[in-house]
Amino acid sequence: AQTVTQSQPEMSVQEAETVTLSCTYDTSESNYYLFWYKQPPSRQMILVIRQEAYKQQNATENRFSVNFQKAAKSFSLKISDSQLGDTAMYFCAFTHTGANSKLTFGKGITLSVRP
Amino acid sequence: NAGVTQTPKFQVLKTGQSMTLQCAQDMNHEYMSWYRQDPGMGLRLIHYSVGAGITDQGEVPNGYNVSRSTTEDFPLRLLSAAPSQTSVYFCASKTAGGPYEQYFGPGTRLTVT
């Protein structure tokens, strides 16, 4: 069974600065995907970024980028130029490939961006 | 495209009552799933379905029933509500193949008193 660990329950960052959210996972699968989801106070789950395990290049989406270390089973999210709208809970998630694939979530981290 | 819709948005039940949380998607996704979100626990999978007529249990299935008679709909039934089922419930869907991200509904906040 796979597990996803987010060990920091809360973080705070000053507006315009950079923050990194940590995530580690454990799996025996070789083909899988990793995700970061954002959950603002509206409660909606929003996909931030996706990483395919077979790709060595780290994914980037505008101000969001990941540091994917496959051997270490680490998948951290870097948010550059933090904005007030980035205040949210962030979840790291894992799924193996296949029709029956299930999404396993970490416990989440609450990020606060200070003005 | 409405995406994934859920009704109701909020619900209060008394212990022992039953109810159905509705979920529908208009993206022709084969895979649909239900999660519950509790403080400090992340999202945990309750039940999932890989197609009409096929359902399976997730991590926390006790006290919940599902069925999948159409591709579009995947209702979640609480048979006899308990205070431990107070939670936020999310429905999600995805295609059977890649790229594997799931699309979430807006959630239902359920309180059982």
Side-chain angles (χ1 to χ4, degrees):
Chain A
Q2 43 265 5
T3 59
V4 177
T5 302
Q6 294 179 253
S7 55
Q8 308 151 302
E10 295 180 7
M11 287 192 78
S12 179
V13 64
Q14 195 75 31
E15 193 176 9
E17 293 188 346
T18 295
V19 63
T20 298
L21 311 183
S22 302
C23 173
T24 58
Y25 61 95
D26 190 22
T27 183
S28 57
E29 303 281 344
S30 56
N31 296 320
Y32 54 88
Y33 284 68
L34 294 157
F35 306 94
W36 279 98
Y37 280 89
K38 170 185 178 182
Q39 187 181 43
S42 67
R43 199 168 70 199
Q44 181 68 50
M45 294 289 288
I46 302 165
L47 179 67
V48 174
I49 201 163
R50 175 183 72 240
Q51 175 77 45
E52 295 92 331
Y54 65 86
K55 287 189 177 178
Q56 292 188 341
Q57 187 173 6
N58 288 327
T60 62
E61 289 286 344
N62 301 314
R63 299 182 295 107
F64 299 88
S65 61
V66 299
N67 183 5
F68 174 48
Q69 301 288 330
K70 191 172 183 179
K73 294 181 181 172
S74 170
F75 182 61
S76 59
L77 176 69
K78 185 170 84 170
I79 306 175
S80 304
D81 186 26
S82 297
Q83 301 176 359
L84 296 179
D86 295 334
T87 292
M89 180 162 278
Y90 288 81
F91 292 97
C92 179
F94 166 101
T95 187
H96 63 81
T97 58
N100 274 12
S101 56
K102 305 170 198 175
L103 201 54
T104 301
F105 286 86
K107 293 183 178 181
I109 178 171
T110 301
L111 176 67
S112 300
V113 179
R114 306 185 304 272
Chain B
N1 266 3
V4 181
T5 58
Q6 290 183 237
T7 55
K9 284 191 168 46
F10 301 93
Q11 183 71 48
V12 179
L13 286 179
K14 293 190 187 318
T15 297
Q17 287 185 318
S18 62
M19 80 158 296
T20 300
L21 306 185
Q22 301 291 346
C23 174
Q25 52 91 11
D26 61 0
M27 298 174 281
N28 203 31
H29 285 167
E30 298 90 343
Y31 183 103
M32 295 185 74
S33 54
W34 278 101
Y35 296 86
R36 59 178 288 172
Q37 181 181 10
D38 302 294
M41 302 292 290
L43 278 76
R44 293 179 292 168
L45 182 64
I46 303 171
H47 285 285
Y48 68 99
S49 168
V50 298
I54 306 169
T55 64
D56 205 347
Q57 296 181 352
E59 182 184 353
V60 288
N62 292 341
Y64 307 96
N65 255 3
V66 292
S67 59
R68 183 100 179 266
S69 56
T70 67
T71 300
E72 296 78 19
D73 300 298
F74 190 44
L76 178 73
R77 297 182 189 84
L78 281 69
L79 308 172
S80 176
S84 61
Q85 294 179 303
T86 293
S87 188
V88 177
Y89 291 85
F90 287 96
C91 179
S93 72
K94 70 175 183 74
T95 57
Y100 296 101
E101 65 252 36
Q102 296 199 22
Y103 297 84
F104 284 82
T108 296
R109 179 174 291 279
L110 175 69
T111 302
V112 183
T113 61

